[in-house]
């Protein structure tokens, strides 16, 4: 039996350890209170990340809770583990940080450094300061509307493949769809949309960014698709590795825990280098991003807008193959999951709002009729109701729940409570939460495309609609994302009605199992062949 003396000794030792752990776990949690900044109560070590780590809330709910708990303030403080982060709630303040005083907030936080993960650290999203400016101006000409127009043909081909594949599945009950999540419920074809659309966005990026054609619906196990799924999976262990990088990048580097698997990194590196070599030796020219990246490397990429060349050479040759591979992988990383997420939520919203779906189908039918059944770049961009539906879907379910900035030089907030941000300080822009604030969007949970009609859209307060971020560091691929999403939807809705089936998740519950905007069990919907065209 333990003596009284050793019992005391143990009690003292344990209390001492708990006290030290508490002090270490909260050593800077008074950061905001010392500066008179409103902030949230924290938990040692976890800061305000408890609900995410313990999977008690989805990332979207978590960000909304933080935003709502800071109600009444223009900005406030929270802790990502031990790191203080300033949450911006006020649209004017968001404008200052992302546009007006952008030079003070040039960078994203980018916890995964170039040394820890070169393919990640070298990409546009993670590049900092001068190198970011150079790369952004190098790549910008690749995303002008004239370049989008050239790429339209490639993307539209993928949309056609999608529509025709589903049509074959619907008509031929014996068609093999192994690997794809396609079933039947009565006369309806039932489809898990995340799987379906991810195959589509995979094929779009494969053809338009990497210059390779892979029909992932007919070849469901193709390597490109498997690798894409691998690099964009933010669930499971990846979620914890990412949280680990937020907690302590140094510790993660020391533990040598990689965010991307080396197999996937090597796959993409080989693919890009190989494609560039083949094109160079064989003189192949294709209207895709690899071609634009090669031009950027050679310094011959011209800045064009609306078909006119202004003759300016956008860059000098200063990037090596790895720099360019990192951008191609980023296009994949940034476009593969985000666009398929938008398509999933949008299709779900259309199936559960048949009046909106009917009106959209009418617009699509009319446009196709006027263009001899062909989908053109101009037609896609002239469909107003389609644009309203896409905009409202992006408001309700923005694939990027938040974005961030890092302060790069001292910046005094020009409002009360006055506070000077210092280099390295982080700010959060809670996109999802702002989109769901009834102050800006009355009845925010209602799906109402009319918010974006010509009559109403001017009522939207500037800097409260941010699906693609804001300012010079906004999403470079936004035109491309909108184009590919609209193309897929048109190809689907001109052939099918989207229907609720028994497996359709109603109401939608965003997953708590990872950072991706998705639902547990999948986005199941029924496809009914149209007869009224
Ligand atoms: C619906 C689809 C998409 C959504 C919702 C989306 C959203 C975003 C957001 C919120 C940001 C951060 C912007 C900011 O901090 O202000 C971003 C950055 C970025 N996105 Fe997208 N994105 C989408 C599709 C794409 C696609 C298809 C591509 C490329 C082909 C792409 C490439 C990028 C890149 C390269 C950046 C970093 C830009 C920089 O730091 O200069 N995105 N995106």
């Amino acid at each position: 039996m333990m003596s009284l003396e050793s019992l005391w000794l143990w009690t003292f030792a344990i209390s001492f350890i708990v006290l030290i752990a508490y002090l270490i776990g909260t050593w800077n949690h008074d950061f905001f209170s010392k500066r008179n900044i409103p902030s949230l109560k924290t938990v040692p070590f976890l800061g305000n990340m408890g609900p995410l780590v313990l999977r008690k809330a989805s990332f979207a709910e978590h960000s909304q809770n933080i935003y709502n708990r800071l109600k009444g303030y223009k900005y406030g403080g929270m802790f990502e583990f031990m790191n203080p982060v300033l949450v911006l709630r006020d649209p004017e303040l968001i404008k200052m940080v992302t546009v007006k005083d952008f030079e003070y907030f040039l960078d994203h936080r980018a916890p995964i450094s170039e040394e820890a993960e070169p393919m990640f650290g070298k990409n546009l999203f993670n590049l900092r300061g001068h190198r970011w400016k150079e790369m952004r101006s190098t790549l910008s000409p690749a995303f002008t509307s004239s370049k989008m127009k050239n790429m339209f043909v490639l993307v539209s081909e993928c949309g056609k493949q999608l529509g025709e594949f589903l049509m074959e599945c619907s008509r031929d009950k014996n068609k093999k769809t192994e690997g794809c999540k396609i079933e039947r419920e009565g006369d309806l074809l039932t489809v898990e949309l995340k799987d379906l659309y991810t195959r589509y966005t995979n094929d779009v990026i494969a053809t338009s960014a990497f210059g390779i054609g892979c029909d992932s619906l007919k070849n469901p196990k193709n390597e490109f698709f498997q690798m894409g799924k691998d690099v964009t999976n933010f669930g499971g262990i990846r979620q914890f590795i990412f949280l680990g990088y937020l907690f302590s990048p140094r510790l993660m580097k020391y533990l040598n825990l990689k965010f991307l698997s080396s197999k996937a990194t090597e796959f993409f590196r080989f693919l890009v280098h190989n494609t560039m070599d083949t094109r160079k030796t064989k003189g192949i020219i294709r209207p895709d991003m690899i071609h634009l990246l090669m031009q950027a490397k050679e310094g011959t990429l011209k800045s064009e807008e609306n078909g006119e060349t202004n003759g300016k050479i956008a860059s000098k040759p200063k990037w090596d193959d790895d720099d360019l591979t990192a951008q191609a992988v980023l296009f994949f990383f940034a476009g593969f999951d985000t666009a398929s997420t938008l398509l999933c939520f949008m299709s779900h919203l259309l199936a559960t709002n048949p009046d909106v779906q009917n009106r959209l189908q009418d617009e699509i039918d009319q446009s196709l009729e006027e263009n001899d059944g062909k989908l053109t770049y101009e037609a896609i961009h002239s469909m107003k109701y389609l644009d309203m539906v896409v905009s409202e879907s992006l408001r309700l379910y923005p694939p990027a729940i938040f974005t961030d900035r890092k302060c790069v030089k001292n910046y005094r907030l020009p409002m009360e409570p006055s506070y000077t941000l210092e280099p390295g300080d982080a700010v959060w822009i809670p996109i999802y939460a702002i989109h769901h604030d009834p102050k800006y969007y009355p009845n925010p949970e209602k799906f109402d495309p009319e918010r974006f009609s010509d009559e109403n859209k001017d009522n939207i307060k500037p800097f409260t609609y941010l699906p693609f971020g804001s300012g010079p560091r906004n999403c470079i691929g936004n035109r491309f994302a909108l184009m590919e999403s609209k193309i897929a939807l048109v190809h689907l809705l001109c052939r099918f009605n989207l229907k609720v089936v028994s497996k359709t998740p109603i109401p939608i519950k965003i997953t708590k199992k990872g950072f991706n905007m998705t639902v547990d069990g999948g986005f199941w919907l029924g496809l009914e062949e149209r007869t009224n065209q």
Side-chain angles (χ1 to χ4, degrees):
M1 213 169 101
M2 202 185 270
S3 70
L4 197 61
E5 204 173 277
S6 51
L7 187 70
W8 269 110
L9 210 63
W10 272 107
T11 312
F12 178 76
I14 290 169
S15 309
F16 184 71
I17 292 167
V18 170
L19 179 71
I20 296 293
Y22 179 81
L23 290 176
I24 295 173
T26 56
W27 75 270
N28 67 344
H29 281 184
D30 57 356
F31 180 91
F32 291 113
S33 53
K34 273 205 282 196
R35 291 162 176 81
N36 277 335
I37 295 174
S39 61
L40 303 177
K41 263 199 177 153
T42 56
V43 170
F45 294 106
L46 293 178
N48 300 109
M49 301 297 273
L52 273 191
V53 175
L54 302 173
R55 297 188 163 179
K56 289 207 160 143
S58 69
F59 201 11
E61 279 165 341
H62 176 66
S63 73
Q64 202 176 8
N65 286 342
I66 287 176
Y67 176 87
N68 289 342
R69 281 161 64 198
L70 290 168
K71 194 172 174 182
Y73 301 104
K74 295 195 169 180
Y75 65 89
M78 68 112 172
F79 277 82
E80 260 178 6
F81 302 107
M82 304 296 288
N83 308 317
V85 178
L86 207 67
V87 182
L88 309 187
R89 295 186 85 263
D90 177 49
E92 264 307 306
L93 189 51
I94 293 174
K95 180 180 174 184
M96 281 174 206
V97 166
T98 59
V99 181
K100 215 170 128 266
D101 298 320
F102 168 69
E103 284 295 323
Y104 294 81
F105 298 94
L106 209 58
D107 299 339
H108 284 295
R109 282 181 301 165
I112 304 176
S113 71
E114 195 171 325
E115 303 87 66
E117 195 88 71
M119 215 44 85
F120 221 78
K122 277 173 178 248
N123 75 34
L124 186 67
F125 192 88
N126 286 302
L127 283 177
R128 295 173 190 174
H130 197 62
R131 285 189 69 205
W132 169 77
K133 279 190 181 171
E134 283 185 334
M135 185 56 95
R136 178 91 188 197
S137 65
T138 300
L139 294 179
S140 290
F143 290 92
T144 57
S145 40
S146 58
K147 295 288 172 14
M148 291 303 109
K149 200 170 172 177
N150 291 341
M151 272 190 261
F152 176 84
V153 187
L154 300 176
V155 182
S156 196
E157 195 47 43
C158 298
K160 201 167 144 220
Q161 263 174 19
L162 171 79
E164 287 175 355
F165 173 79
L166 291 170
M167 206 57 156
E168 285 166 25
C169 294
S170 168
R171 289 186 178 168
D172 177 1
K173 292 201 166 97
N174 300 319
K175 188 172 168 61
K176 282 196 178 146
T177 56
E178 56 178 301
C180 302
K181 294 183 180 168
I182 297 183
E183 299 172 1
R184 283 185 185 275
E185 190 174 302
D187 283 342
L188 289 183
L189 195 67
T190 54
V191 180
E192 200 287 296
L193 295 178
K194 186 68 188 167
D195 180 74
L196 182 83
Y197 286 138
T198 310
R199 290 175 192 282
Y200 165 73
T201 54
N202 174 79
D203 292 356
V204 168
I205 298 280
T207 181
S208 52
F210 292 85
I212 55 170
C214 53
D215 187 338
S216 301
L217 293 161
K218 292 205 172 121
N219 311 302
K221 294 205 171 126
N222 73 77
E223 201 179 3
F224 198 92
F225 179 66
Q226 303 300 339
M227 290 298 162
K229 273 181 78 157
D230 182 74
V231 295
T232 55
N233 179 7
F234 270 80
I237 186 75
R238 280 278 173 71
Q239 184 190 12
F240 289 100
I241 294 182
F242 190 72
L243 287 173
Y245 271 102
L246 286 180
F247 182 70
S248 169
R250 227 184 283 164
L251 177 70
M252 297 307 279
K253 206 179 148 200
Y254 178 74
L255 295 175
N256 198 21
L257 282 175
K258 297 273 182 217
F259 191 63
L260 298 180
S261 75
S262 45
K263 200 173 155 205
T265 310
E266 275 319 307
F267 174 81
F268 285 114
R269 181 178 281 133
F270 177 77
L271 190 68
V272 174
H273 289 205
N274 204 28
T275 313
M276 285 185 175
D277 282 350
T278 315
R279 297 230 181 144
K280 220 167 165 182
T281 44
K282 297 196 174 159
I284 301 169
I285 294 181
R286 205 168 168 272
D288 60 17
M289 290 186 194
I290 285 270
H291 179 65
L292 299 172
L293 287 174
M294 285 171 74
Q295 283 186 308
K297 187 182 166 199
E298 287 155 11
T300 55
L301 181 60
K302 290 186 181 149
S303 178
E304 286 171 37
E305 194 55 269
N306 300 329
E308 281 175 30
T309 305
N310 66 15
K312 261 193 238 157
I313 302 294
S315 67
K316 295 189 189 84
K318 47 175 122 54
W319 307 110
D320 63 25
D321 284 356
D322 262 6
D323 286 317
L324 301 184
T325 308
Q327 310 320 315
V329 172
L330 172 65
F331 296 155
F332 197 84
F333 201 77
F336 181 87
D337 195 65
T338 46
S340 65
T341 299
L342 163 62
L343 279 164
C344 286
F345 281 104
M346 188 153 57
S347 305
H348 179 94
L349 289 165
L350 289 171
T352 47
N353 293 272
D355 48 332
V356 177
Q357 183 176 175
N358 290 342
R359 189 170 154 196
L360 182 55
Q361 281 174 324
D362 287 347
E363 184 183 62
I364 292 171
D365 294 349
Q366 196 187 333
S367 168
L368 289 175
E369 212 177 293
E370 284 165 9
N371 291 288
D372 297 328
K374 286 199 189 85
L375 184 60
T376 63
Y377 178 82
E378 288 72 22
I380 276 279
H381 289 88
S382 65
M383 291 189 220
K384 275 199 176 166
Y385 196 60
L386 176 60
D387 196 60
M388 286 159 61
V389 169
V390 173
S391 302
E392 173 65 348
S393 306
L394 280 169
R395 180 197 68 82
L396 207 46
Y397 296 110
I401 291 162
F402 79 100
T403 188
D404 63 13
R405 291 290 185 275
K406 194 169 79 177
C407 177
V408 293
K409 45 187 172 181
N410 281 357
Y411 182 78
R412 192 173 173 77
L413 290 176
M415 54 185 55
E416 287 303 318
S418 161
Y419 163 56
T420 301
L421 283 139
E422 290 172 11
D425 284 355
V427 300
W428 236 50
I429 301 166
I431 300 173
Y432 179 91
I434 293 175
H435 286 189
H436 287 252
D437 187 339
K439 193 164 138 195
Y440 307 124
Y441 296 98
N443 202 356
E445 301 310 320
K446 183 171 184 237
F447 174 60
D448 181 9
E450 290 308 316
R451 297 180 207 267
F452 292 88
S453 69
D454 282 347
E455 302 78 64
N456 295 335
K457 67 180 175 204
D458 291 341
N459 297 333
I460 296 173
K461 195 174 165 67
F463 297 91
T464 62
Y465 182 66
L466 305 159
F468 294 107
S470 160
R473 196 129 202 184
N474 73 350
C475 174
I476 199 172
N478 67 29
R479 284 180 179 150
F480 185 79
L482 292 173
M483 180 173 86
E484 70 168 313
S485 308
K486 288 177 179 179
I487 288 175
L489 203 63
V490 169
H491 277 286
L492 207 64
L493 287 182
C494 71
R495 293 176 172 89
F496 296 101
N497 298 315
L498 304 177
K499 295 271 178 187
V500 169
V501 289
S502 56
K503 277 170 119 178
T504 305
I506 297 181
I508 269 196
K509 282 204 186 104
I510 298 168
T511 187
K512 296 176 184 171
K513 289 188 190 144
F515 290 151
N516 299 71
M517 269 287 267
T518 188
V519 293
D520 294 329
F523 285 92
W524 286 92
L525 278 189
L527 301 185
E528 176 191 62
E529 226 180 285
R530 286 181 66 190
T531 50
N532 57 339
Q533 295 168 75

